[in-house]
Amino acid sequence: MSSKSKLACCCGSAGCSFCCGCCPKIRQSRSTRFMYALYFILVVVLCYVMMSNTVANEMREHIPFFEDICKGIKAGDTCEKLVGYSAVYRVCFGMACFFFLFCLLTLKVNNSKSCRAYIHNGFWFFKLLLLGAMCSGAFFIPDQETFLNAWRYVGAVGGFLFLGIQLLLLVEFAHKWNKNWTAGTAINKLWYASLSLVTLITYSIATGGLILMAVFYTQKDGCMDNKILLGVNGGLCLLISVVAISPPVQDRQPHSGLLQSGLISCYVTYLTFSALSSKPVEVVLDEHGKNVTICVPDFGQDLYRDKNLVARLGTALSCGCILYSCLTSTTRWSSDALQGRYGAPELEVARCCFCFGPGGEDAEGQQNVKEGSRVIYDEKKSTVYNYAYFHFVFFLASLYVMMTLTDWFNYESANIETLFSGSWSIFWVKMASCWICVLLYLGTLVAPLCRPSPHFSV
């Protein structure tokens, strides 16, 4: 590796694909987001380790002079200051400050030629040092008790705001999908078949999922709360479907249809399943005097007993979901949708991959490839995504990770081994998200009926 390549990776505006000739060509906008996502993953993994009793016990048993080391760095007799919910609060505080700082730094950056854009797209080694310094510095904040109590409520607000953005974008995504494919029916009637097929698939998934949950998460005697929740959420899916095709809504919003309600129903079904899976297990004595779990699938009882396996699976899935939400929430379309900017319906061009541009981006990017370079400079004219909004979403995601790992307001007894085996806090957060999603979608349907202007549409 040449010295120029090393310098490009650490200080330049290109991503680390400069350092490896075997890597495929990558756009600058994607390599930058990949690097920030990598930083995010590193801190999240560190937080998971801090919340694990198993890791703490293994370190205590296998690291020589463990207690002496802990006393030497003034972390307590058994490094208790470096583990548990308070440590996660401090580390996430540092990560949140890191992304919030870059959010302020990149406000109103429109292309990659400005000095602030160079900072956003490069200097990765120094930014890693800055992130580490911020996370470490949080352990030296005076009056820790007051800080932790105040930061907890900031985290709760930010966590709910992160969830709200994801739900709002899902509703906007459903409307955009239906509007784009409906525009294609004026040219090719096969788009009607596509709309019908996808609608049928979404309702089949939603209906099948609710039926399977009724089979595996309820029993003839008992599990009344599961039965009520399944009935309520199933009724909400039926309600939004009826409202979507009702004559008053169709008059004001011709693009409203069953595709949107079917997609929202699928998400409601997923959240219901996720919430029921997050409930603390109920244990009763059977006729032989043995402890058995009820209101959960029989094939999942062994899984619940293996707490380490549950923790590992839950860690991987939750980290992947949060990262996916961050990256999909920071596109130019997502930023425009949250600000209420929509394209004119008559300009819609029906495409299977309607979330991306109609073309031309690849050709433009290829023109900006330098000889021997592995990076495509695709932001010379304008930015592909909103830099400040990108960092703001990761700022909120840092707060959401903090609250999720520490079991929201049941933080004192939280640890990774029990977090994914069942938590009432996580259960109610997911159920609340489910109902808020339905309310947001109903709001987009009912709001135009309360406005005098007939031009309100999504």
Side-chain angles (χ1 to χ4, degrees):
M1 185 189 299
S2 67
S3 58
K4 290 183 179 180
S5 296
K6 293 179 181 178
L7 185 63
C9 182
C10 295
C11 304
S13 61
C16 283
S17 57
F18 261 133
C19 303
C20 184
C22 63
C23 294
K25 285 182 171 63
I26 185 171
R27 297 179 181 279
Q28 181 187 44
S29 59
R30 293 176 185 172
S31 65
T32 297
R33 283 178 285 183
F34 170 79
M35 290 301 298
Y36 283 114
L38 181 61
Y39 287 175
F40 181 80
I41 291 175
L42 290 176
V43 177
V44 170
V45 171
L46 176 62
C47 292
Y48 276 106
V49 171
M50 288 178 165
M51 289 297 295
S52 174
N53 289 335
T54 303
V55 173
N57 294 333
E58 291 291 326
M59 292 174 60
R60 191 178 299 111
E61 294 175 3
H62 294 91
I63 296 180
F65 309 107
F66 179 76
E67 293 185 359
D68 294 336
I69 295 175
C70 292
K71 292 178 182 178
I73 61 176
K74 298 181 180 180
D77 293 340
T78 58
C79 287
E80 61 270 13
K81 293 182 180 180
L82 301 180
V83 296
Y85 81 93
S86 61
V88 172
Y89 274 27
R90 296 183 181 100
V91 170
C92 287
F93 173 79
M95 180 166 63
C97 290
F98 173 81
F99 284 112
F100 189 72
L101 174 65
F102 277 92
C103 175
L104 298 178
L105 181 68
T106 55
L107 282 172
K108 297 184 178 180
V109 173
N110 299 319
N111 59 67
S112 61
K113 296 181 180 179
S114 67
C115 177
R116 292 183 294 159
Y118 278 112
I119 297 175
H120 168 80
N121 290 313
F123 300 93
W124 297 111
F125 176 72
F126 297 107
K127 281 190 283 195
L128 181 61
L129 293 180
L130 176 63
L131 177 61
M134 285 185 164
C135 292
S136 303
F139 286 86
F140 299 96
I141 296 177
D143 196 0
Q144 290 284 336
E145 191 65 28
T146 302
F147 161 73
L148 293 176
N149 289 332
W151 185 240
R152 184 176 304 118
Y153 290 100
V154 174
V157 173
F160 280 116
L161 185 56
F162 177 78
L163 286 174
I165 290 177
Q166 308 310 311
L167 297 176
L168 181 59
L169 289 176
L170 175 69
V171 172
E172 297 295 343
F173 171 81
H175 283 296
K176 181 177 177 62
W177 189 352
N178 186 77
K179 183 170 66 174
N180 184 269
W181 282 21
T182 301
T185 59
I187 302 173
N188 191 333
K189 300 302 179 184
L190 287 177
W191 286 106
Y192 278 120
S194 301
L195 282 168
S196 301
L197 178 61
V198 173
T199 301
L200 179 62
I201 291 174
T202 56
Y203 274 103
S204 298
I205 293 174
T207 304
L210 290 172
I211 293 174
L212 289 175
M213 282 186 282
V215 172
F216 292 110
Y217 284 93
T218 63
Q219 296 177 354
K220 185 177 181 180
D221 299 323
C223 305
M224 185 57 64
D225 51 349
N226 288 5
K227 295 176 182 177
I228 293 175
L229 289 173
L230 287 173
V232 169
N233 291 351
L236 290 175
C237 293
L238 179 61
L239 174 64
I240 61 178
S241 302
V242 173
V243 174
I245 59 175
S246 61
V249 172
Q250 287 292 308
D251 290 341
R252 298 297 293 271
Q253 294 192 84
H255 293 290
S256 175
L258 292 177
L259 176 61
Q260 300 103 305
S261 56
L263 187 62
I264 299 300
S265 297
C266 279
Y267 191 66
V268 167
T269 302
Y270 159 73
L271 284 179
T272 304
F273 167 73
S274 184
L276 293 180
S277 302
S278 302
K279 280 183 61 178
V281 295
E282 299 180 46
V283 180
V284 297
L285 294 175
D286 62 5
E287 60 271 13
H288 303 293
K290 295 182 178 180
N291 289 332
V292 295
T293 56
I294 61 173
C295 304
V296 295
D298 294 334
F299 54 78
Q301 295 190 19
D302 294 332
L303 180 65
Y304 278 106
R305 295 190 184 99
D306 190 347
K307 293 183 178 180
N308 289 330
L309 177 60
V310 172
R312 287 192 291 269
L313 289 176
T315 298
L317 289 174
S318 61
C319 186
C321 290
I322 293 171
L323 189 61
Y324 175 78
S325 298
C326 289
L327 295 178
T328 55
S329 302
T330 52
T331 61
R332 175 67 66 180
W333 169 81
S334 301
S335 177
D336 290 343
L338 289 175
Q339 297 177 53
R341 296 199 298 256
Y342 308 101
E346 60 273 11
L347 299 179
E348 283 285 341
V349 178
R351 301 182 303 275
C352 291
C353 298
F354 59 90
C355 286
F356 302 97
E361 185 181 344
D362 290 336
E364 180 183 350
Q366 293 297 334
Q367 295 174 359
N368 295 320
V369 181
K370 295 182 179 179
E371 186 67 27
S373 173
R374 311 301 300 173
V375 174
I376 302 173
Y377 294 93
D378 58 340
E379 295 187 306
K380 287 190 174 182
K381 294 182 179 179
S382 63
T383 57
V384 174
Y385 60 99
N386 188 310
Y387 289 175
Y389 174 63
F390 171 84
H391 289 294
F392 182 69
V393 169
F394 269 92
F395 163 73
L396 295 179
S398 303
L399 302 180
Y400 177 75
V401 166
M402 180 186 78
M403 297 306 296
T404 300
L405 289 182
T406 57
D407 200 7
W408 292 85
F409 289 100
N410 292 330
Y411 49 89
E412 292 183 348
S413 59
N415 62 78
I416 286 296
E417 286 75 17
T418 60
L419 180 65
F420 296 103
S421 298
S423 167
W424 283 112
S425 297
I426 294 179
F427 168 78
W428 285 114
V429 166
K430 291 180 177 179
M431 290 308 304
S433 301
C434 174
W435 297 330
I436 292 173
C437 182
V438 172
L439 289 176
L440 285 173
Y441 177 62
L442 283 176
T444 62
L445 297 178
V446 177
L449 304 179
C450 306
R451 295 167 62 96
S453 173
H455 301 297
F456 179 91
S457 62
V458 291

